[in-house]
Each structure stands twice: as structure tokens, then as C-alpha cells.
PDB file of all heavy atoms in Angstrom:
ATOM      1  N   ARG A   1     -28.701  18.316  40.806  1.00 74.00           N
ATOM      2  CA  ARG A   1     -28.615  19.638  40.190  1.00 74.00           C
ATOM      3  C   ARG A   1     -29.918  20.145  39.601  1.00 74.00           C
ATOM      4  O   ARG A   1     -30.171  21.335  39.594  1.00 74.00           O
ATOM      5  CB  ARG A   1     -27.505  19.642  39.138  1.00 74.00           C
ATOM      6  CG  ARG A   1     -26.136  19.716  39.810  1.00 74.00           C
ATOM      7  CD  ARG A   1     -25.002  19.665  38.820  1.00 74.00           C
ATOM      8  NE  ARG A   1     -23.739  19.670  39.564  1.00 74.00           N
ATOM      9  CZ  ARG A   1     -22.681  18.963  39.258  1.00 74.00           C
ATOM     10  NH1 ARG A   1     -22.712  18.175  38.216  1.00 74.00           N
ATOM     11  NH2 ARG A   1     -21.591  19.020  39.991  1.00 74.00           N
ATOM     12  N   ARG A   2     -30.748  19.266  39.062  1.00 71.00           N
ATOM     13  CA  ARG A   2     -31.989  19.763  38.473  1.00 71.00           C
ATOM     14  C   ARG A   2     -32.941  20.279  39.545  1.00 71.00           C
ATOM     15  O   ARG A   2     -33.567  21.323  39.384  1.00 71.00           O
ATOM     16  CB  ARG A   2     -32.641  18.670  37.627  1.00 71.00           C
ATOM     17  CG  ARG A   2     -31.926  18.480  36.292  1.00 71.00           C
ATOM     18  CD  ARG A   2     -32.542  17.372  35.499  1.00 71.00           C
ATOM     19  NE  ARG A   2     -31.876  17.251  34.200  1.00 71.00           N
ATOM     20  CZ  ARG A   2     -32.014  16.213  33.394  1.00 71.00           C
ATOM     21  NH1 ARG A   2     -32.794  15.208  33.741  1.00 71.00           N
ATOM     22  NH2 ARG A   2     -31.392  16.177  32.230  1.00 71.00           N
ATOM     23  N   MET A   3     -33.078  19.531  40.629  1.00 75.00           N
ATOM     24  CA  MET A   3     -33.904  20.026  41.722  1.00 75.00           C
ATOM     25  C   MET A   3     -33.275  21.269  42.346  1.00 75.00           C
ATOM     26  O   MET A   3     -33.973  22.218  42.696  1.00 75.00           O
ATOM     27  CB  MET A   3     -34.084  18.944  42.786  1.00 75.00           C
ATOM     28  CG  MET A   3     -35.128  17.890  42.445  1.00 75.00           C
ATOM     29  SD  MET A   3     -36.773  18.591  42.142  1.00 75.00           S
ATOM     30  CE  MET A   3     -37.112  19.395  43.703  1.00 75.00           C
ATOM     31  N   ALA A   4     -31.951  21.258  42.466  1.00 78.00           N
ATOM     32  CA  ALA A   4     -31.264  22.431  43.014  1.00 78.00           C
ATOM     33  C   ALA A   4     -31.457  23.644  42.114  1.00 78.00           C
ATOM     34  O   ALA A   4     -31.539  24.779  42.594  1.00 78.00           O
ATOM     35  CB  ALA A   4     -29.774  22.133  43.182  1.00 78.00           C
ATOM     36  N   SER A   5     -31.546  23.423  40.807  1.00 74.00           N
ATOM     37  CA  SER A   5     -31.789  24.516  39.866  1.00 74.00           C
ATOM     38  C   SER A   5     -33.120  25.205  40.168  1.00 74.00           C
ATOM     39  O   SER A   5     -33.211  26.434  40.207  1.00 74.00           O
ATOM     40  CB  SER A   5     -31.787  23.982  38.430  1.00 74.00           C
ATOM     41  OG  SER A   5     -32.072  25.001  37.503  1.00 74.00           O
ATOM     42  N   GLY A   6     -34.163  24.388  40.381  1.00 76.00           N
ATOM     43  CA  GLY A   6     -35.460  24.960  40.731  1.00 76.00           C
ATOM     44  C   GLY A   6     -35.420  25.697  42.051  1.00 76.00           C
ATOM     45  O   GLY A   6     -36.008  26.773  42.201  1.00 76.00           O
ATOM     46  N   LEU A   7     -34.717  25.123  43.038  1.00 81.00           N
ATOM     47  CA  LEU A   7     -34.617  25.776  44.345  1.00 81.00           C
ATOM     48  C   LEU A   7     -33.856  27.088  44.257  1.00 81.00           C
ATOM     49  O   LEU A   7     -34.208  28.069  44.922  1.00 81.00           O
ATOM     50  CB  LEU A   7     -33.929  24.837  45.345  1.00 81.00           C
ATOM     51  CG  LEU A   7     -34.725  23.627  45.811  1.00 81.00           C
ATOM     52  CD1 LEU A   7     -33.870  22.760  46.721  1.00 81.00           C
ATOM     53  CD2 LEU A   7     -35.998  24.062  46.537  1.00 81.00           C
ATOM     54  N   LEU A   8     -32.805  27.110  43.431  1.00 82.00           N
ATOM     55  CA  LEU A   8     -32.037  28.347  43.285  1.00 82.00           C
ATOM     56  C   LEU A   8     -32.904  29.450  42.700  1.00 82.00           C
ATOM     57  O   LEU A   8     -32.935  30.574  43.214  1.00 82.00           O
ATOM     58  CB  LEU A   8     -30.823  28.102  42.389  1.00 82.00           C
ATOM     59  CG  LEU A   8     -29.932  29.329  42.154  1.00 82.00           C
ATOM     60  CD1 LEU A   8     -29.315  29.814  43.454  1.00 82.00           C
ATOM     61  CD2 LEU A   8     -28.834  29.006  41.128  1.00 82.00           C
ATOM     62  N   GLN A   9     -33.640  29.141  41.642  1.00 80.00           N
ATOM     63  CA  GLN A   9     -34.507  30.144  41.039  1.00 80.00           C
ATOM     64  C   GLN A   9     -35.647  30.545  41.964  1.00 80.00           C
ATOM     65  O   GLN A   9     -36.208  31.634  41.822  1.00 80.00           O
ATOM     66  CB  GLN A   9     -35.064  29.630  39.709  1.00 80.00           C
ATOM     67  CG  GLN A   9     -34.064  29.668  38.568  1.00 80.00           C
ATOM     68  CD  GLN A   9     -33.535  31.063  38.293  1.00 80.00           C
ATOM     69  OE1 GLN A   9     -32.524  31.483  38.856  1.00 80.00           O
ATOM     70  NE2 GLN A   9     -34.208  31.801  37.436  1.00 80.00           N
ATOM     71  N   ALA A  10     -35.991  29.669  42.908  1.00 84.00           N
ATOM     72  CA  ALA A  10     -37.028  30.010  43.885  1.00 84.00           C
ATOM     73  C   ALA A  10     -36.608  31.213  44.728  1.00 84.00           C
ATOM     74  O   ALA A  10     -37.460  31.894  45.317  1.00 84.00           O
ATOM     75  CB  ALA A  10     -37.327  28.818  44.787  1.00 84.00           C
ATOM     76  N   GLY A  11     -35.304  31.485  44.771  1.00 86.00           N
ATOM     77  CA  GLY A  11     -34.841  32.652  45.515  1.00 86.00           C
ATOM     78  C   GLY A  11     -35.373  33.954  44.952  1.00 86.00           C
ATOM     79  O   GLY A  11     -35.582  34.923  45.697  1.00 86.00           O
ATOM     80  N   TRP A  12     -35.620  33.997  43.621  1.00 87.00           N
ATOM     81  CA  TRP A  12     -36.117  35.239  43.025  1.00 87.00           C
ATOM     82  C   TRP A  12     -37.532  35.568  43.496  1.00 87.00           C
ATOM     83  O   TRP A  12     -37.772  36.675  43.985  1.00 87.00           O
ATOM     84  CB  TRP A  12     -36.045  35.180  41.502  1.00 87.00           C
ATOM     85  CG  TRP A  12     -36.447  36.479  40.867  1.00 87.00           C
ATOM     86  CD1 TRP A  12     -37.712  36.865  40.507  1.00 87.00           C
ATOM     87  CD2 TRP A  12     -35.607  37.604  40.590  1.00 87.00           C
ATOM     88  NE1 TRP A  12     -37.702  38.145  39.998  1.00 87.00           N
ATOM     89  CE2 TRP A  12     -36.418  38.615  40.040  1.00 87.00           C
ATOM     90  CE3 TRP A  12     -34.243  37.834  40.735  1.00 87.00           C
ATOM     91  CZ2 TRP A  12     -35.914  39.847  39.631  1.00 87.00           C
ATOM     92  CZ3 TRP A  12     -33.744  39.061  40.332  1.00 87.00           C
ATOM     93  CH2 TRP A  12     -34.567  40.048  39.788  1.00 87.00           C
ATOM     94  N   PRO A  13     -38.519  34.644  43.366  1.00 90.00           N
ATOM     95  CA  PRO A  13     -39.854  34.985  43.874  1.00 90.00           C
ATOM     96  C   PRO A  13     -39.881  35.214  45.376  1.00 90.00           C
ATOM     97  O   PRO A  13     -40.702  35.995  45.865  1.00 90.00           O
ATOM     98  CB  PRO A  13     -40.722  33.784  43.474  1.00 90.00           C
ATOM     99  CG  PRO A  13     -39.767  32.683  43.214  1.00 90.00           C
ATOM    100  CD  PRO A  13     -38.531  33.344  42.691  1.00 90.00           C
ATOM    101  N   VAL A  14     -38.992  34.540  46.116  1.00 90.00           N
ATOM    102  CA  VAL A  14     -38.919  34.802  47.561  1.00 90.00           C
ATOM    103  C   VAL A  14     -38.497  36.246  47.802  1.00 90.00           C
ATOM    104  O   VAL A  14     -39.077  36.959  48.626  1.00 90.00           O
ATOM    105  CB  VAL A  14     -37.944  33.827  48.250  1.00 90.00           C
ATOM    106  CG1 VAL A  14     -37.653  34.273  49.682  1.00 90.00           C
ATOM    107  CG2 VAL A  14     -38.522  32.418  48.262  1.00 90.00           C
ATOM    108  N   GLY A  15     -37.483  36.712  47.050  1.00 90.00           N
ATOM    109  CA  GLY A  15     -37.041  38.093  47.195  1.00 90.00           C
ATOM    110  C   GLY A  15     -38.107  39.089  46.786  1.00 90.00           C
ATOM    111  O   GLY A  15     -38.326  40.104  47.467  1.00 90.00           O
ATOM    112  N   PHE A  16     -38.791  38.821  45.682  1.00 90.00           N
ATOM    113  CA  PHE A  16     -39.876  39.684  45.203  1.00 90.00           C
ATOM    114  C   PHE A  16     -41.022  39.687  46.215  1.00 90.00           C
ATOM    115  O   PHE A  16     -41.605  40.730  46.528  1.00 90.00           O
ATOM    116  CB  PHE A  16     -40.354  39.168  43.837  1.00 90.00           C
ATOM    117  CG  PHE A  16     -41.097  40.192  43.013  1.00 90.00           C
ATOM    118  CD1 PHE A  16     -41.305  39.971  41.654  1.00 90.00           C
ATOM    119  CD2 PHE A  16     -41.596  41.370  43.554  1.00 90.00           C
ATOM    120  CE1 PHE A  16     -42.001  40.890  40.867  1.00 90.00           C
ATOM    121  CE2 PHE A  16     -42.281  42.307  42.778  1.00 90.00           C
ATOM    122  CZ  PHE A  16     -42.492  42.057  41.439  1.00 90.00           C
ATOM    123  N   LEU A  17     -41.343  38.504  46.744  1.00 91.00           N
ATOM    124  CA  LEU A  17     -42.405  38.393  47.745  1.00 91.00           C
ATOM    125  C   LEU A  17     -42.062  39.194  49.002  1.00 91.00           C
ATOM    126  O   LEU A  17     -42.913  39.916  49.551  1.00 91.00           O
ATOM    127  CB  LEU A  17     -42.615  36.918  48.087  1.00 91.00           C
ATOM    128  CG  LEU A  17     -43.813  36.535  48.964  1.00 91.00           C
ATOM    129  CD1 LEU A  17     -44.215  35.091  48.659  1.00 91.00           C
ATOM    130  CD2 LEU A  17     -43.508  36.650  50.449  1.00 91.00           C
ATOM    131  N   LEU A  18     -40.815  39.075  49.449  1.00 92.00           N
ATOM    132  CA  LEU A  18     -40.393  39.832  50.635  1.00 92.00           C
ATOM    133  C   LEU A  18     -40.449  41.339  50.374  1.00 92.00           C
ATOM    134  O   LEU A  18     -40.812  42.111  51.262  1.00 92.00           O
ATOM    135  CB  LEU A  18     -38.972  39.422  51.036  1.00 92.00           C
ATOM    136  CG  LEU A  18     -38.806  38.029  51.629  1.00 92.00           C
ATOM    137  CD1 LEU A  18     -37.331  37.706  51.834  1.00 92.00           C
ATOM    138  CD2 LEU A  18     -39.564  37.902  52.953  1.00 92.00           C
ATOM    139  N   ALA A  19     -40.104  41.733  49.149  1.00 93.00           N
ATOM    140  CA  ALA A  19     -40.176  43.153  48.800  1.00 93.00           C
ATOM    141  C   ALA A  19     -41.615  43.650  48.855  1.00 93.00           C
ATOM    142  O   ALA A  19     -41.901  44.730  49.389  1.00 93.00           O
ATOM    143  CB  ALA A  19     -39.593  43.380  47.403  1.00 93.00           C
ATOM    144  N   ALA A  20     -42.549  42.850  48.302  1.00 92.00           N
ATOM    145  CA  ALA A  20     -43.961  43.246  48.308  1.00 92.00           C
ATOM    146  C   ALA A  20     -44.522  43.276  49.723  1.00 92.00           C
ATOM    147  O   ALA A  20     -45.275  44.186  50.100  1.00 92.00           O
ATOM    148  CB  ALA A  20     -44.773  42.287  47.437  1.00 92.00           C
ATOM    149  N   ALA A  21     -44.154  42.283  50.539  1.00 93.00           N
ATOM    150  CA  ALA A  21     -44.632  42.243  51.921  1.00 93.00           C
ATOM    151  C   ALA A  21     -44.070  43.415  52.726  1.00 93.00           C
ATOM    152  O   ALA A  21     -44.776  44.027  53.543  1.00 93.00           O
ATOM    153  CB  ALA A  21     -44.231  40.916  52.569  1.00 93.00           C
ATOM    154  N   THR A  22     -42.806  43.745  52.503  1.00 94.00           N
ATOM    155  CA  THR A  22     -42.195  44.889  53.178  1.00 94.00           C
ATOM    156  C   THR A  22     -42.857  46.190  52.750  1.00 94.00           C
ATOM    157  O   THR A  22     -43.160  47.065  53.583  1.00 94.00           O
ATOM    158  CB  THR A  22     -40.687  44.945  52.875  1.00 94.00           C
ATOM    159  OG1 THR A  22     -40.076  43.712  53.245  1.00 94.00           O
ATOM    160  CG2 THR A  22     -40.018  46.079  53.639  1.00 94.00           C
ATOM    161  N   ALA A  23     -43.109  46.317  51.443  1.00 94.00           N
ATOM    162  CA  ALA A  23     -43.759  47.527  50.933  1.00 94.00           C
ATOM    163  C   ALA A  23     -45.161  47.696  51.508  1.00 94.00           C
ATOM    164  O   ALA A  23     -45.607  48.826  51.755  1.00 94.00           O
ATOM    165  CB  ALA A  23     -43.820  47.470  49.409  1.00 94.00           C
ATOM    166  N   TYR A  24     -45.839  46.586  51.720  1.00 93.00           N
ATOM    167  CA  TYR A  24     -47.211  46.630  52.259  1.00 93.00           C
ATOM    168  C   TYR A  24     -47.246  47.381  53.586  1.00 93.00           C
ATOM    169  O   TYR A  24     -48.175  48.155  53.862  1.00 93.00           O
ATOM    170  CB  TYR A  24     -47.732  45.205  52.427  1.00 93.00           C
ATOM    171  CG  TYR A  24     -49.150  45.118  52.945  1.00 93.00           C
ATOM    172  CD1 TYR A  24     -50.230  45.115  52.070  1.00 93.00           C
ATOM    173  CD2 TYR A  24     -49.414  45.046  54.312  1.00 93.00           C
ATOM    174  CE1 TYR A  24     -51.536  45.037  52.538  1.00 93.00           C
ATOM    175  CE2 TYR A  24     -50.705  44.973  54.797  1.00 93.00           C
ATOM    176  CZ  TYR A  24     -51.766  44.965  53.899  1.00 93.00           C
ATOM    177  OH  TYR A  24     -53.053  44.897  54.370  1.00 93.00           O
ATOM    178  N   PHE A  25     -46.231  47.156  54.415  1.00 94.00           N
ATOM    179  CA  PHE A  25     -46.196  47.794  55.732  1.00 94.00           C
ATOM    180  C   PHE A  25     -45.391  49.101  55.746  1.00 94.00           C
ATOM    181  O   PHE A  25     -45.773  50.058  56.426  1.00 94.00           O
ATOM    182  CB  PHE A  25     -45.595  46.820  56.761  1.00 94.00           C
ATOM    183  CG  PHE A  25     -46.423  45.598  57.010  1.00 94.00           C
ATOM    184  CD1 PHE A  25     -46.068  44.389  56.442  1.00 94.00           C
ATOM    185  CD2 PHE A  25     -47.579  45.659  57.770  1.00 94.00           C
ATOM    186  CE1 PHE A  25     -46.828  43.249  56.655  1.00 94.00           C
ATOM    187  CE2 PHE A  25     -48.357  44.533  57.986  1.00 94.00           C
ATOM    188  CZ  PHE A  25     -47.981  43.325  57.429  1.00 94.00           C
ATOM    189  N   VAL A  26     -44.284  49.135  55.007  1.00 94.00           N
ATOM    190  CA  VAL A  26     -43.345  50.248  55.120  1.00 94.00           C
ATOM    191  C   VAL A  26     -43.798  51.479  54.334  1.00 94.00           C
ATOM    192  O   VAL A  26     -43.730  52.605  54.841  1.00 94.00           O
ATOM    193  CB  VAL A  26     -41.939  49.803  54.668  1.00 94.00           C
ATOM    194  CG1 VAL A  26     -41.004  51.009  54.531  1.00 94.00           C
ATOM    195  CG2 VAL A  26     -41.370  48.800  55.649  1.00 94.00           C
ATOM    196  N   VAL A  27     -44.232  51.285  53.091  1.00 93.00           N
ATOM    197  CA  VAL A  27     -44.552  52.439  52.247  1.00 93.00           C
ATOM    198  C   VAL A  27     -45.640  53.332  52.844  1.00 93.00           C
ATOM    199  O   VAL A  27     -45.479  54.557  52.905  1.00 93.00           O
ATOM    200  CB  VAL A  27     -44.924  51.983  50.814  1.00 93.00           C
ATOM    201  CG1 VAL A  27     -45.417  53.167  49.989  1.00 93.00           C
ATOM    202  CG2 VAL A  27     -43.712  51.344  50.133  1.00 93.00           C
ATOM    203  N   PRO A  28     -46.774  52.771  53.320  1.00 92.00           N
ATOM    204  CA  PRO A  28     -47.788  53.649  53.926  1.00 92.00           C
ATOM    205  C   PRO A  28     -47.296  54.361  55.174  1.00 92.00           C
ATOM    206  O   PRO A  28     -47.708  55.490  55.461  1.00 92.00           O
ATOM    207  CB  PRO A  28     -48.940  52.690  54.254  1.00 92.00           C
ATOM    208  CG  PRO A  28     -48.727  51.514  53.370  1.00 92.00           C
ATOM    209  CD  PRO A  28     -47.248  51.371  53.256  1.00 92.00           C
ATOM    210  N   ALA A  29     -46.418  53.718  55.944  1.00 93.00           N
ATOM    211  CA  ALA A  29     -45.975  54.282  57.220  1.00 93.00           C
ATOM    212  C   ALA A  29     -44.764  55.205  57.082  1.00 93.00           C
ATOM    213  O   ALA A  29     -44.708  56.268  57.715  1.00 93.00           O
ATOM    214  CB  ALA A  29     -45.651  53.151  58.194  1.00 93.00           C
ATOM    215  N   LEU A  30     -43.789  54.817  56.255  1.00 94.00           N
ATOM    216  CA  LEU A  30     -42.521  55.545  56.199  1.00 94.00           C
ATOM    217  C   LEU A  30     -42.198  56.125  54.828  1.00 94.00           C
ATOM    218  O   LEU A  30     -41.212  56.855  54.686  1.00 94.00           O
ATOM    219  CB  LEU A  30     -41.374  54.618  56.639  1.00 94.00           C
ATOM    220  CG  LEU A  30     -41.493  54.019  58.052  1.00 94.00           C
ATOM    221  CD1 LEU A  30     -40.365  53.029  58.296  1.00 94.00           C
ATOM    222  CD2 LEU A  30     -41.482  55.118  59.108  1.00 94.00           C
ATOM    223  N   GLY A  31     -42.998  55.815  53.838  1.00 94.00           N
ATOM    224  CA  GLY A  31     -42.743  56.333  52.500  1.00 94.00           C
ATOM    225  C   GLY A  31     -41.874  55.406  51.669  1.00 94.00           C
ATOM    226  O   GLY A  31     -41.253  54.466  52.177  1.00 94.00           O
ATOM    227  N   TRP A  32     -41.793  55.675  50.369  1.00 95.00           N
ATOM    228  CA  TRP A  32     -41.097  54.786  49.440  1.00 95.00           C
ATOM    229  C   TRP A  32     -39.584  54.776  49.632  1.00 95.00           C
ATOM    230  O   TRP A  32     -38.925  53.762  49.390  1.00 95.00           O
ATOM    231  CB  TRP A  32     -41.437  55.166  47.998  1.00 95.00           C
ATOM    232  CG  TRP A  32     -40.956  56.531  47.574  1.00 95.00           C
ATOM    233  CD1 TRP A  32     -41.635  57.696  47.637  1.00 95.00           C
ATOM    234  CD2 TRP A  32     -39.674  56.854  47.013  1.00 95.00           C
ATOM    235  NE1 TRP A  32     -40.879  58.748  47.160  1.00 95.00           N
ATOM    236  CE2 TRP A  32     -39.669  58.250  46.747  1.00 95.00           C
ATOM    237  CE3 TRP A  32     -38.540  56.103  46.672  1.00 95.00           C
ATOM    238  CZ2 TRP A  32     -38.565  58.906  46.195  1.00 95.00           C
ATOM    239  CZ3 TRP A  32     -37.452  56.760  46.122  1.00 95.00           C
ATOM    240  CH2 TRP A  32     -37.467  58.136  45.894  1.00 95.00           C
ATOM    241  N   ARG A  33     -39.002  55.881  50.104  1.00 96.00           N
ATOM    242  CA  ARG A  33     -37.538  55.938  50.254  1.00 96.00           C
ATOM    243  C   ARG A  33     -37.028  54.933  51.281  1.00 96.00           C
ATOM    244  O   ARG A  33     -35.913  54.404  51.136  1.00 96.00           O
ATOM    245  CB  ARG A  33     -37.117  57.353  50.660  1.00 96.00           C
ATOM    246  CG  ARG A  33     -37.308  58.401  49.563  1.00 96.00           C
ATOM    247  CD  ARG A  33     -36.925  59.788  50.051  1.00 96.00           C
ATOM    248  NE  ARG A  33     -37.166  60.815  49.049  1.00 96.00           N
ATOM    249  CZ  ARG A  33     -36.282  61.209  48.146  1.00 96.00           C
ATOM    250  NH1 ARG A  33     -35.070  60.662  48.121  1.00 96.00           N
ATOM    251  NH2 ARG A  33     -36.594  62.141  47.263  1.00 96.00           N
ATOM    252  N   ALA A  34     -37.815  54.668  52.301  1.00 96.00           N
ATOM    253  CA  ALA A  34     -37.379  53.738  53.346  1.00 96.00           C
ATOM    254  C   ALA A  34     -37.099  52.346  52.798  1.00 96.00           C
ATOM    255  O   ALA A  34     -36.276  51.604  53.348  1.00 96.00           O
ATOM    256  CB  ALA A  34     -38.436  53.670  54.442  1.00 96.00           C
ATOM    257  N   MET A  35     -37.758  51.972  51.708  1.00 95.00           N
ATOM    258  CA  MET A  35     -37.537  50.655  51.111  1.00 95.00           C
ATOM    259  C   MET A  35     -36.081  50.475  50.684  1.00 95.00           C
ATOM    260  O   MET A  35     -35.494  49.394  50.843  1.00 95.00           O
ATOM    261  CB  MET A  35     -38.457  50.465  49.903  1.00 95.00           C
ATOM    262  CG  MET A  35     -39.934  50.356  50.242  1.00 95.00           C
ATOM    263  SD  MET A  35     -40.333  48.811  51.085  1.00 95.00           S
ATOM    264  CE  MET A  35     -40.038  47.626  49.783  1.00 95.00           C
ATOM    265  N   PHE A  36     -35.485  51.524  50.170  1.00 94.00           N
ATOM    266  CA  PHE A  36     -34.108  51.429  49.690  1.00 94.00           C
ATOM    267  C   PHE A  36     -33.112  51.404  50.841  1.00 94.00           C
ATOM    268  O   PHE A  36     -32.040  50.805  50.729  1.00 94.00           O
ATOM    269  CB  PHE A  36     -33.817  52.579  48.728  1.00 94.00           C
ATOM    270  CG  PHE A  36     -34.568  52.476  47.440  1.00 94.00           C
ATOM    271  CD1 PHE A  36     -35.775  53.136  47.266  1.00 94.00           C
ATOM    272  CD2 PHE A  36     -34.085  51.689  46.403  1.00 94.00           C
ATOM    273  CE1 PHE A  36     -36.480  53.039  46.081  1.00 94.00           C
ATOM    274  CE2 PHE A  36     -34.781  51.579  45.214  1.00 94.00           C
ATOM    275  CZ  PHE A  36     -35.987  52.247  45.048  1.00 94.00           C
ATOM    276  N   LEU A  37     -33.462  52.037  51.942  1.00 92.00           N
ATOM    277  CA  LEU A  37     -32.591  51.984  53.116  1.00 92.00           C
ATOM    278  C   LEU A  37     -32.608  50.575  53.722  1.00 92.00           C
ATOM    279  O   LEU A  37     -31.565  50.036  54.120  1.00 92.00           O
ATOM    280  CB  LEU A  37     -33.055  53.017  54.146  1.00 92.00           C
ATOM    281  CG  LEU A  37     -31.991  53.569  55.096  1.00 92.00           C
ATOM    282  CD1 LEU A  37     -30.817  54.165  54.338  1.00 92.00           C
ATOM    283  CD2 LEU A  37     -32.601  54.588  56.037  1.00 92.00           C
ATOM    284  N   ILE A  38     -33.790  49.982  53.781  1.00 92.00           N
ATOM    285  CA  ILE A  38     -33.917  48.616  54.291  1.00 92.00           C
ATOM    286  C   ILE A  38     -33.125  47.645  53.421  1.00 92.00           C
ATOM    287  O   ILE A  38     -32.489  46.706  53.920  1.00 92.00           O
ATOM    288  CB  ILE A  38     -35.402  48.203  54.344  1.00 92.00           C
ATOM    289  CG1 ILE A  38     -36.126  49.012  55.423  1.00 92.00           C
ATOM    290  CG2 ILE A  38     -35.557  46.708  54.607  1.00 92.00           C
ATOM    291  CD1 ILE A  38     -37.631  48.854  55.404  1.00 92.00           C
ATOM    292  N   ALA A  39     -33.140  47.864  52.102  1.00 88.00           N
ATOM    293  CA  ALA A  39     -32.456  46.961  51.170  1.00 88.00           C
ATOM    294  C   ALA A  39     -30.948  46.939  51.369  1.00 88.00           C
ATOM    295  O   ALA A  39     -30.275  46.004  50.925  1.00 88.00           O
ATOM    296  CB  ALA A  39     -32.776  47.364  49.735  1.00 88.00           C
ATOM    297  N   ALA A  40     -30.393  47.957  52.023  1.00 85.00           N
ATOM    298  CA  ALA A  40     -28.946  48.023  52.223  1.00 85.00           C
ATOM    299  C   ALA A  40     -28.459  47.158  53.382  1.00 85.00           C
ATOM    300  O   ALA A  40     -27.284  46.795  53.442  1.00 85.00           O
ATOM    301  CB  ALA A  40     -28.524  49.470  52.461  1.00 85.00           C
ATOM    302  N   VAL A  41     -29.361  46.788  54.280  1.00 82.00           N
ATOM    303  CA  VAL A  41     -28.961  46.081  55.509  1.00 82.00           C
ATOM    304  C   VAL A  41     -28.321  44.719  55.259  1.00 82.00           C
ATOM    305  O   VAL A  41     -27.310  44.380  55.887  1.00 82.00           O
ATOM    306  CB  VAL A  41     -30.179  45.939  56.454  1.00 82.00           C
ATOM    307  CG1 VAL A  41     -29.818  45.103  57.670  1.00 82.00           C
ATOM    308  CG2 VAL A  41     -30.682  47.318  56.870  1.00 82.00           C
ATOM    309  N   PRO A  42     -28.848  43.886  54.343  1.00 73.00           N
ATOM    310  CA  PRO A  42     -28.305  42.529  54.200  1.00 73.00           C
ATOM    311  C   PRO A  42     -26.861  42.440  53.723  1.00 73.00           C
ATOM    312  O   PRO A  42     -26.333  41.342  53.586  1.00 73.00           O
ATOM    313  CB  PRO A  42     -29.253  41.883  53.177  1.00 73.00           C
ATOM    314  CG  PRO A  42     -30.518  42.653  53.263  1.00 73.00           C
ATOM    315  CD  PRO A  42     -30.084  44.050  53.545  1.00 73.00           C
ATOM    316  N   ALA A  43     -26.208  43.543  53.463  1.00 71.00           N
ATOM    317  CA  ALA A  43     -24.795  43.494  53.058  1.00 71.00           C
ATOM    318  C   ALA A  43     -23.917  42.847  54.119  1.00 71.00           C
ATOM    319  O   ALA A  43     -22.815  42.372  53.825  1.00 71.00           O
ATOM    320  CB  ALA A  43     -24.281  44.898  52.766  1.00 71.00           C
ATOM    321  N   ILE A  44     -24.405  42.776  55.351  1.00 74.00           N
ATOM    322  CA  ILE A  44     -23.625  42.132  56.421  1.00 74.00           C
ATOM    323  C   ILE A  44     -23.415  40.635  56.151  1.00 74.00           C
ATOM    324  O   ILE A  44     -22.553  40.006  56.769  1.00 74.00           O
ATOM    325  CB  ILE A  44     -24.304  42.323  57.790  1.00 74.00           C
ATOM    326  CG1 ILE A  44     -25.721  41.742  57.794  1.00 74.00           C
ATOM    327  CG2 ILE A  44     -24.335  43.781  58.179  1.00 74.00           C
ATOM    328  CD1 ILE A  44     -26.405  41.781  59.145  1.00 74.00           C
ATOM    329  N   LEU A  45     -24.180  40.071  55.203  1.00 73.00           N
ATOM    330  CA  LEU A  45     -24.008  38.659  54.863  1.00 73.00           C
ATOM    331  C   LEU A  45     -22.667  38.384  54.197  1.00 73.00           C
ATOM    332  O   LEU A  45     -22.270  37.224  54.045  1.00 73.00           O
ATOM    333  CB  LEU A  45     -25.143  38.209  53.932  1.00 73.00           C
ATOM    334  CG  LEU A  45     -26.514  38.078  54.589  1.00 73.00           C
ATOM    335  CD1 LEU A  45     -27.575  37.875  53.527  1.00 73.00           C
ATOM    336  CD2 LEU A  45     -26.525  36.925  55.580  1.00 73.00           C
ATOM    337  N   VAL A  46     -21.973  39.428  53.788  1.00 72.00           N
ATOM    338  CA  VAL A  46     -20.648  39.256  53.206  1.00 72.00           C
ATOM    339  C   VAL A  46     -19.723  38.528  54.173  1.00 72.00           C
ATOM    340  O   VAL A  46     -18.901  37.691  53.764  1.00 72.00           O
ATOM    341  CB  VAL A  46     -20.046  40.629  52.833  1.00 72.00           C
ATOM    342  CG1 VAL A  46     -18.554  40.518  52.557  1.00 72.00           C
ATOM    343  CG2 VAL A  46     -20.762  41.196  51.614  1.00 72.00           C
TER     344      VAL A  46
END
């Protein structure tokens, strides 16, 4: 559980990192609104 605790929290910087990497490419090309549309896609994981 202690190692799993660290791995679970690692999900937050991974998500933040993916957001920054996505913004790097998407915002200059498609604008800031596109970021929120992209964020809606992973709901299929339900």
C-alpha cells in the first residue's frame, strides 16, 4: 500500500504533464477552447 500510494498520486503529475504537452501543440493551432473538448473524450473509460 505505501508504494501503491506513491503510484496513485503519480497519476496527478501525469495528468498535469499530459495537459501541458497537449496545450503545447493544441493551443497555438486550435486555440484554448479545444483543450476542453479534448478533455471530454476519456469519459468512454466508464
Side-chain angles (χ1 to χ4, degrees):
R1 283 178 183 141
R2 284 178 178 166
M3 281 302 300
S5 178
L7 289 176
L8 180 63
Q9 284 301 90
W12 185 271
V14 169
F16 200 165
L17 189 154
L18 289 174
T22 304
Y24 181 89
F25 295 103
V26 170
V27 173
L30 302 175
W32 65 268
R33 291 178 183 270
M35 292 290 293
F36 292 95
L37 207 55
I38 291 170
V41 175
I44 59 175
L45 288 170
V46 166

